[in-house]
Structures are given as structure tokens and as C-alpha cells.
Amino acid sequence: MAKMMWAGRFSSEADPKVNDFNSSIKFDARMYKQDITGSIAHATMLGDTGIIEKSESEKIVEGLKGILSDIESGELTFDPNAEDIHMFVEQVLTERLGDTGKRLHTARSRNDQVALDIRMYLRDEVKEIKELVVELIETIINIAEEHVYTVMPGYTHLQRAQPVTLAHHVMAYAQMLYRDLERLDDAAERMNYMPLGSGALASTTYPIDRKQVCGLLGFTDITYNSLDGVSDRDFCIEICSAISILMMHLSRFSEEIIQWCSWEFKFIELDDAFATGSSIMPQKKNPDITELIRGKTGRVYGDLMTLLTMMKGIPLAYNKDMQEDKEAIFDAVDTVKLCITTFIPMLSTMRVYKDNMRAAAAKGFINATDCADYLVKKGLPFRDAYKITGTLVALCIKKDTVLEKLELAEYRKFSDKFEEDIYEAISLDTCVMQRKADGGPAPEAVQVQIEKLKGRLREMLK
Ligand code: ARG
């Protein structure tokens, strides 16, 4: 094994168990690209400011580019004995360039280096997550456009409440996901400040040019407090929190899909490619994907709790506890990407049983509010109309019938306001079509909703 970087200060080698325990290369190797990109910017600045010779800076930059391409081609593999990705890259550079390689770490600490790398890594990941969420929203919009006339029951307390359409129902998720995009954007924007130059904690005595590094790496600005620059992980927490909310939305949608494909509902059927069978019960077709998404939501919440708890008691500035940020935030990022990637094709291939949705909407007195509203339109105060309709519903239940089948004579026993047009007023289609207030389920209102969201998406992606 290579000698430790700090062998000068230490009189004995670290216990191998300590090395393993301390090492983060198993999980931070994935930041190799960001680490090398950051180092290239740092080396360029060191050369431009004259902190190191320009010719040496150029050699370092070339050396780093070589390391990057060798990692990507598989020629160079990560050394599991390295303490972390930062040490590994520097170690290889020094093996390749000798003394020149040793100059890269001038005016820098791993503390500001890791603070930079993780920001750059998450910036790239958030971009990918956002692209997936946009694709998911587009998938939902496609379903909505096909189903503006597909009537289904809307529920409260999982009891049939008022009629909506499948378009309106799924668009509710598109709205939630759009806000998830905004949250991710917002967190990424707040994270986009360049910490390199904070040093270990108290910046540096070298005449560095932080603004140059900031510009080279595409940050909004530099961080203005070196202690904060190396100690802050609130951006991890914010991104994990935005991902947790996003997972919560996916989980609710998943739960509904699980219900919808049960025999009790039979509103939809998943494509065989996105369902699983049972090892014992031949009739089974299980919605495992959605159940896993629901399950994995708990795991992402766990990541968020890990980060919050890890940070809550550590004094300024860097503490090794903070190395624990990576596995948690990486897990959250990996999990949400995996879930959305599987959810999209599952959703776009599911079959919708419109007739079953409609039949369910026709039951359960879903038009009772409309019956009461009918009386209100004929001049009754709402509370009186509500009471009469309640009595009518109770009568229907007793007679094992529904409001649309009740004789007019029966209606008129409770109010002489009822006339032949009651049947039209409480028909399922009328109930949906009349809910055309902005944001309502009527096809024309849903069409507006869809266009509006498409416009906002276009605006965001500009
Ligand atoms: N691997 C460490 C981390 O991920 C970065 C190194 C800073 N370590 C240190 N002992 N100052 O946080």
C-alpha cells in the first residue's frame, strides 16, 4: 500500500481497519468527473495568477485530462485503498507527473474541494432528475388528453364523492410534479455558489482568484464566508427534501394505481411487462413496481433524516461526520431516478377500463350534490335542499335504487320544485360538464389546465 499522505507527521501506519473505516472511495469515486473538472479550473487559476508556473499548470491540466479519459475508457481503475476520490486523483497525477503533480493542492484543502465536488455533482444530478420529471409530466398530459371525457368517481375519505374525469384526476399529479420541478430548480439555484478558496476553513494566504474559478465552473457567484463554504450541507438537505416530496407524490399516485388495478376497482390494467406474477397463486398479476415505489419512499425519507441528524450537532467547520452526506444523498438521487424511469413506461402502457370507471361513478350517489344544487337553482336555500336530498338518498338506499331511477312522484313528495328536468340535471354527464369553473373537471376546464401547464413547462425549459 502507498504511504499515507501525512506519513511525515505520523510515526506509525494506520491500522488497516481504520483505513477501511475512514475511506470513502467506495462511494465518492462516482464524483471523479466533477473532482477532475474542479481541479482543472483550480490548476488553471494557479497558473494564471502566477502562484505556480504557467508551464506546470498546463502540465497538470493535461495530466488531469489524461486521468479523466483513462478512467472513462476503463484503463485506470479506482484504488480501493485510496482514502477518497480526491486523494486518488492527486496520487495518480503525482505518479504520472512527479513533483509537478504535487503542486496541484497548493492553496486548496480537501474540505473546500469536497464542498465543490458535491455541489457540482448534485447540479448535474438535479438536471437529470428534472428531465425525468418533465418526461413524466408529458406522459401524464398524454393520458389526460386522451381521457378528458372519461368520467370516473372523485373520492374523499375513499368514499365516492363527486364525478370527475380521468384527465382531471391524473392532471392533479402533473400539477404536483410541476411544483417538484420548481423546488428542485430553486434548491439547485441556491446551491450554485462556488466554495473553493475557503481552504480548510480559513481561506488562504495565496493571492488566488476565486472569481475566475467560479466563472470557469459556471457558478452564480462565490461563497463569501470560508467557514460556511466548507461546513454547509444545507443544499444536500434541501435537494433531499425536494426529492422526498417528489417521492411522496409518486407514492400517492402508486397507491392509487395499486387500488385501481385491484379486482375491487378494475379501473386499469397494467401491461404484462410492468407487472409480476405469484410463485404460488396462478391467477395473480401484481403491481410490484408501484408497491416498490411506495416502499422506497420510506427509504428516501430515511436519507433525509440521516442528513438532518448528521448535521444537527457538528460545530464549525469541517468534521468527518460530513462524509456521511454522500451515501444518503446519492441514495436519494439514485432511488428517485430509478423510480421515475420505471414509472413512465408503466404509466404509458397501462390500459384504462373506461366503462368500469363510468359504472363506478354511476353508483354511490355521486350526483347528490347536483340534486341539492337543482333545488337551489329553483329557489330553495342550500341547507334545505341538502336536507331534502339526504332524505331522498336514504329512501333510495332503502329501496335499493339510485336517484336517477326514482319516480318523479316520489321526488315531489319531498318538494314540489322537482320537475321532469331533474333527470337531466343529475345525469352523470351533466354533473361533469357543469363543473366548468376554472380548475374544475369539465372537459373545457381541463383543456385550459393542460394548455396552461404546457405553457409553464415550455417557459421553465427555455
Ligand atoms: N472524504 C472526505 C469527505 O467526503 C473529504 C475529505 C476531507 N477530510 C478531512 N479529513 N479533512 O468529506
Side-chain angles (χ1 to χ4, degrees), residues 24 28 83-84 86 110-111 114 318 320 322-323 326:
S24 55
D28 65 20
E83 194 188 324
D84 53 29
H86 326 293
R110 268 185 307 155
N111 297 353
V114 72
Y318 179 86
K320 191 78 171 198
M322 288 157 78
Q323 181 166 285
K326 281 166 217 70

Side-chain angles (χ1 to χ4, degrees), residues 82-249:
E83 194 188 324
D84 53 29
I85 184 62
H86 326 293
M87 291 293 218
F88 172 74
V89 172
E90 194 185 333
Q91 180 187 307
V92 177
L93 188 74
T94 305
E95 278 161 19
R96 293 185 178 186
L97 302 184
D99 282 352
T100 303
K102 293 186 201 158
R103 297 198 191 278
L104 169 63
H105 211 54
T106 315
R108 186 176 75 169
S109 154
R110 268 185 307 155
N111 297 353
D112 55 353
Q113 189 179 354
V114 72
L116 173 74
D117 292 2
I118 188 140
R119 280 173 172 85
M120 286 168 60
Y121 181 81
L122 289 177
R123 190 168 68 178
D124 295 343
E125 290 294 318
V126 166
K127 193 163 164 276
E128 277 184 37
I129 298 170
K130 278 182 56 196
E131 281 163 11
L132 285 171
V133 176
V134 168
E135 206 187 312
L136 176 54
I137 294 177
E138 285 166 355
T139 308
I140 293 174
I141 289 179
N142 285 342
I143 296 173
E145 284 178 327
E146 230 181 280
H147 290 284
V148 273
Y149 289 99
T150 305
V151 176
M152 67 176 279
Y155 298 82
T156 60
H157 314 271
L158 204 54
Q159 303 282 321
R160 289 172 194 153
Q162 290 177 348
V164 295
T165 63
L166 179 59
H168 194 51
H169 195 106
V170 295
M171 280 305 290
Y173 286 105
Q175 302 288 352
M176 296 174 215
L177 291 165
Y178 181 79
R179 291 193 296 275
D180 290 325
L181 281 179
E182 289 184 319
R183 267 184 282 272
L184 286 166
D185 239 1
D186 186 48
E189 183 50 47
R190 212 177 351 270
M191 172 178 70
N192 203 29
Y193 290 81
M194 209 289 297
L196 205 66
S198 300
L201 73 162
S203 78
T204 178
T205 52
Y206 292 97
I208 55 173
D209 183 352
R210 297 188 64 204
K211 293 266 163 82
Q212 181 190 4
V213 177
C214 175
L216 287 172
L217 298 175
F219 282 88
T220 308
D221 200 351
I222 57 169
T223 55
Y224 282 97
N225 182 305
S226 63
L227 292 168
D228 176 50
V230 288
S231 303
D232 157 43
R233 292 293 182 273
D234 51 14
F235 56 88
C236 290
I237 297 173
E238 275 198 81
I239 289 171
C240 198
S241 163
I243 294 175
S244 297
I245 298 173
L246 168 53
M247 285 297 299
M248 179 268 289
H249 291 149

Side-chain angles (χ1 to χ4, degrees), residues 304-339:
L304 177 61
M305 281 307 128
T306 298
L307 291 168
L308 284 167
T309 314
M310 183 265 287
M311 289 302 288
K312 85 179 183 57
I314 48 182
L316 298 180
Y318 179 86
N319 296 265
K320 191 78 171 198
D321 314 41
M322 288 157 78
Q323 181 166 285
E324 291 288 312
D325 61 354
K326 281 166 217 70
E327 281 169 295
I329 190 66
F330 293 168
D331 183 68
V333 159
D334 292 348
T335 305
V336 74
K337 280 164 59 181
L338 196 63
C339 289

